[in-house]
């Protein structure tokens, strides 16, 4: 599944862009960006196991159809379902709180159980 490092800003910060440009060219780097945008945001295994790189959502009631409706063929916005899926993290305490990352949400086991 697509993760938070398959976005242009992270590619720049962590050196992927520079490495590709030093060895190849901008055209290849842009192809990587296009490929990253085509990666699925999650997987559903046997209709039972939800697999996502980041985590769950800043709101309750998210459905599989709402996830299917996300326009994933782009860079993620600053907030919303796509961003939550790429950036959110589990925490030990219950409920939701602002993420230390400044994007996505931190969520407790109770949120996971409610989603399941």
């Amino acid at each position: 599944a697509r993760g938070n490092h398959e976005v242009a800003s992270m590619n720049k910060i962590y050196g992927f862009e520079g490495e590709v440009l030093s060895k190849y060219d901008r055209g290849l780097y842009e192809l990587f960006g296009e490929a990253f945008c085509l990666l699925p945001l999650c997987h559903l295994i046997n209709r039972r196991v939800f697999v996502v790189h980041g985590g769950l959502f800043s709101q309750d009631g998210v459905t599989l159809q709402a996830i299917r409706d996300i326009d994933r063929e782009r860079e993620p916005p600053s907030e919303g379902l796509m961003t939550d899926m790429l950036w959110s993290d589990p925490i030990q305490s219950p409920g939701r709180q602002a993420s230390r990352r400044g994007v996505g949400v931190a969520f407790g086991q109770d949120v996971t159980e409610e989603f399941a």
Side-chain angles (χ1 to χ4, degrees):
R2 185 177 183 183
N4 57 0
H5 283 253
E6 288 81 39
V7 299
S9 60
M10 294 293 101
N11 289 333
K12 186 175 217 56
I13 291 169
Y14 289 105
F16 181 71
E17 177 185 30
E19 184 172 348
V20 173
L21 293 178
S22 73
K23 295 178 181 177
Y24 304 102
D25 61 25
R26 177 142 310 271
L28 181 62
Y29 175 71
E30 289 174 2
L31 284 174
F32 272 110
E34 289 178 32
F36 293 158
C37 288
L38 295 173
L39 291 172
L41 296 173
C42 64
H43 303 277
L44 187 61
I45 301 171
N46 293 331
R47 297 180 182 236
R48 296 194 53 157
V49 180
F50 181 75
V51 180
V52 63
H53 173 86
L56 296 178
F57 309 99
S58 55
Q59 61 190 34
D60 289 327
V62 175
T63 64
L64 291 176
Q65 188 58 52
I67 294 168
R68 286 184 196 103
D69 291 343
I70 296 170
D71 175 13
R72 68 176 172 38
E73 295 181 21
R74 63 186 178 124
E75 290 297 309
S78 59
E79 61 184 19
L81 297 181
M82 180 181 191
T83 301
D84 288 346
M85 293 175 76
L86 296 176
W87 288 96
S88 293
D89 293 300
I91 54 173
Q92 295 296 320
S93 56
R96 292 181 180 90
Q97 60 188 28
S99 172
R100 293 180 299 154
R101 297 174 185 263
V103 64
V105 66
F107 61 94
Q109 181 175 342
D110 59 322
V111 174
T112 303
E113 290 170 358
E114 178 67 27
F115 180 75

